[in-house]
Amino acid sequence: MGKTLFSRAVLGLVALWLLAQVQAFSTERMQADLQALQSQGPRVAGTPAVAAAGEYLAAELRKAGYTVEYFPFTYSRTRDQGSSLVVGSTSFPVNSVSGSPSRRVEGPLAVVPGAGLADDFAGLNLQGRIAVVRRGGIPGLEKARLAAEKGALAVILVTEEPSSTRFTFGGSSPIPGVTLSRSNGEGLFSQAGDRAVLETRIVTEEVQGRNVIAKRSSQNPLAIVGAHYDSVPGSPGANDNASGTATVLELARQLAPSPLSERIWFMFFDGEEDGLWGSRRFVEQNPELVRGLKAMLNLDMVGVDVNGSLGIGGSNELRALADCNALQVACGSAPGGGSDHVPFAQAGVPVLFFFRGLDPNYHRPTDTLADPVLLAQTGQVVRGILERLLR
Ligand SMILES: [Zn+2]
């Protein structure tokens, strides 16, 4: 065997070995993980289902050789127990806006003209009335405050969104607020003076959440790879976000034998769907650890190919480490917000957000499918970035 031929053979073997490494993501194992995560039903923060999912993750991570710690935290969540609006003898399908007080009010309807901007409230007398106003232009909370200043008892926000969409004031409103889709609520703009009864029935509950953290070293990590494992009520949360969870879990298994795993924490966040509570509380309570991070990589909704590519958003320097071409993965861009990387980014940590887009089953009972092949592709890209960043 000639020398050239020999080195070619060696190169060939190295290439095969590299390929084997890349293919080491086990789609069978991830399929089993996806099933295990969905088997308990919706993993709503604070419920036994999410607790069981957390225990599954902990057991799998321990099996892979990690030390597992729970990071418990609390927050309060409001729940609509069925709010209602009756005008004359007609009922309307309303949703309370999160941040509303729980109250029953009765009075004539009053219409706020135009787009319902601050100027549109000028000169209105809303005393003892229920204000009907279009949503948008200025924050809903500002509309509620303006209406309350004019004496309104409550505010009905007519929205362009479907009636299932839930809104939040992002703070507490002095008067109850409900939303109504335009198709159901447009008629109210011509019913000024009609008698209405509006009731918001809202309870506040304390939620106990729990992040799951896997590590191999007692030292602070240089990188965190994370995914939220909770889901919304009524949805099995396959793509959102058993997909990211199973990918991070499999990545942790693969990296366990490598020294790299001593510099990474694998984190599974709870309470994401209620407002990024798991990541926010962790960042708040670990300022020093967070300051030492070179990267936080977050995976959310990576199991359905919505856009024909893997969206990667965040730090350009980190993004440049993604070797999508060599891995033959189509990569695109992702939006900046909306998931657990945000509190880290706000604390100054370079972040990347891996996201394949909102699929039609998003937050629905039909969110039952995630493709392990797409998970494997995502995991390979994430792994490549970690190898380049930390080697
Ligand atoms: Zn999500």
Side-chain angles (χ1 to χ4, degrees), residues 228 240-241 272-273 300-301:
H228 76 86
D240 186 16
N241 182 32
E272 192 269 356
E273 299 288 3
D300 198 351
M301 305 187 75

PDB file of all heavy atoms in Angstrom, residues 228 240-241 272-273 300-301, ligand 1:
ATOM      1  N   HIS A 228     -37.477  24.519  27.761  1.00  0.00           N
ATOM      2  CA  HIS A 228     -38.545  24.420  28.766  1.00  0.00           C
ATOM      3  C   HIS A 228     -39.302  23.117  28.571  1.00  0.00           C
ATOM      4  O   HIS A 228     -39.518  22.674  27.442  1.00  0.00           O
ATOM      5  CB  HIS A 228     -39.473  25.642  28.738  1.00  0.00           C
ATOM      6  CG  HIS A 228     -40.463  25.695  27.614  1.00  0.00           C
ATOM      7  ND1 HIS A 228     -41.698  25.083  27.690  1.00  0.00           N
ATOM      8  CD2 HIS A 228     -40.431  26.296  26.410  1.00  0.00           C
ATOM      9  CE1 HIS A 228     -42.379  25.320  26.567  1.00  0.00           C
ATOM     10  NE2 HIS A 228     -41.627  26.056  25.766  1.00  0.00           N
ATOM     11  N   ASP A 240     -43.993  21.877  21.332  1.00  0.00           N
ATOM     12  CA  ASP A 240     -43.788  22.957  22.323  1.00  0.00           C
ATOM     13  C   ASP A 240     -43.940  22.385  23.734  1.00  0.00           C
ATOM     14  O   ASP A 240     -45.014  22.416  24.276  1.00  0.00           O
ATOM     15  CB  ASP A 240     -44.798  24.073  22.067  1.00  0.00           C
ATOM     16  CG  ASP A 240     -44.553  25.280  22.959  1.00  0.00           C
ATOM     17  OD1 ASP A 240     -43.464  25.383  23.537  1.00  0.00           O
ATOM     18  OD2 ASP A 240     -45.463  26.112  23.080  1.00  0.00           O
ATOM     19  N   ASN A 241     -42.898  21.873  24.373  1.00  0.00           N
ATOM     20  CA  ASN A 241     -41.548  21.833  23.887  1.00  0.00           C
ATOM     21  C   ASN A 241     -40.870  20.536  24.333  1.00  0.00           C
ATOM     22  O   ASN A 241     -39.753  20.542  24.810  1.00  0.00           O
ATOM     23  CB  ASN A 241     -40.787  23.072  24.385  1.00  0.00           C
ATOM     24  CG  ASN A 241     -39.377  23.141  23.874  1.00  0.00           C
ATOM     25  OD1 ASN A 241     -39.062  22.704  22.783  1.00  0.00           O
ATOM     26  ND2 ASN A 241     -38.489  23.608  24.718  1.00  0.00           N
ATOM     27  N   GLU A 272     -42.270  28.242  31.939  1.00  0.00           N
ATOM     28  CA  GLU A 272     -42.001  29.109  30.775  1.00  0.00           C
ATOM     29  C   GLU A 272     -43.291  29.689  30.220  1.00  0.00           C
ATOM     30  O   GLU A 272     -43.379  30.880  29.903  1.00  0.00           O
ATOM     31  CB  GLU A 272     -41.267  28.315  29.685  1.00  0.00           C
ATOM     32  CG  GLU A 272     -40.675  29.173  28.570  1.00  0.00           C
ATOM     33  CD  GLU A 272     -41.609  29.391  27.382  1.00  0.00           C
ATOM     34  OE1 GLU A 272     -42.705  28.818  27.347  1.00  0.00           O
ATOM     35  OE2 GLU A 272     -41.254  30.172  26.490  1.00  0.00           O
ATOM     36  N   GLU A 273     -44.287  28.829  30.102  1.00  0.00           N
ATOM     37  CA  GLU A 273     -45.536  29.243  29.445  1.00  0.00           C
ATOM     38  C   GLU A 273     -46.288  30.310  30.245  1.00  0.00           C
ATOM     39  O   GLU A 273     -47.112  31.019  29.691  1.00  0.00           O
ATOM     40  CB  GLU A 273     -46.438  28.021  29.204  1.00  0.00           C
ATOM     41  CG  GLU A 273     -45.825  26.962  28.298  1.00  0.00           C
ATOM     42  CD  GLU A 273     -45.761  27.385  26.832  1.00  0.00           C
ATOM     43  OE1 GLU A 273     -46.147  28.526  26.508  1.00  0.00           O
ATOM     44  OE2 GLU A 273     -45.310  26.553  26.011  1.00  0.00           O
ATOM     45  N   ASP A 300     -36.431  25.701  21.530  1.00  0.00           N
ATOM     46  CA  ASP A 300     -37.878  25.731  21.736  1.00  0.00           C
ATOM     47  C   ASP A 300     -38.577  25.508  20.395  1.00  0.00           C
ATOM     48  O   ASP A 300     -38.396  26.289  19.467  1.00  0.00           O
ATOM     49  CB  ASP A 300     -38.273  27.097  22.344  1.00  0.00           C
ATOM     50  CG  ASP A 300     -39.648  27.078  22.998  1.00  0.00           C
ATOM     51  OD1 ASP A 300     -40.377  26.088  22.845  1.00  0.00           O
ATOM     52  OD2 ASP A 300     -39.983  28.075  23.671  1.00  0.00           O
ATOM     53  N   MET A 301     -39.353  24.444  20.312  1.00  0.00           N
ATOM     54  CA  MET A 301     -40.122  24.121  19.092  1.00  0.00           C
ATOM     55  C   MET A 301     -39.198  23.819  17.917  1.00  0.00           C
ATOM     56  O   MET A 301     -39.165  24.551  16.935  1.00  0.00           O
ATOM     57  CB  MET A 301     -41.113  25.243  18.759  1.00  0.00           C
ATOM     58  CG  MET A 301     -42.046  25.568  19.914  1.00  0.00           C
ATOM     59  SD  MET A 301     -43.344  26.749  19.481  1.00  0.00           S
ATOM     60  CE  MET A 301     -44.446  25.721  18.506  1.00  0.00           C
TER      61      MET A 301
HETATM   62 ZN    ZN B   1     -42.344  26.940  23.999  1.00  0.00          ZN
END
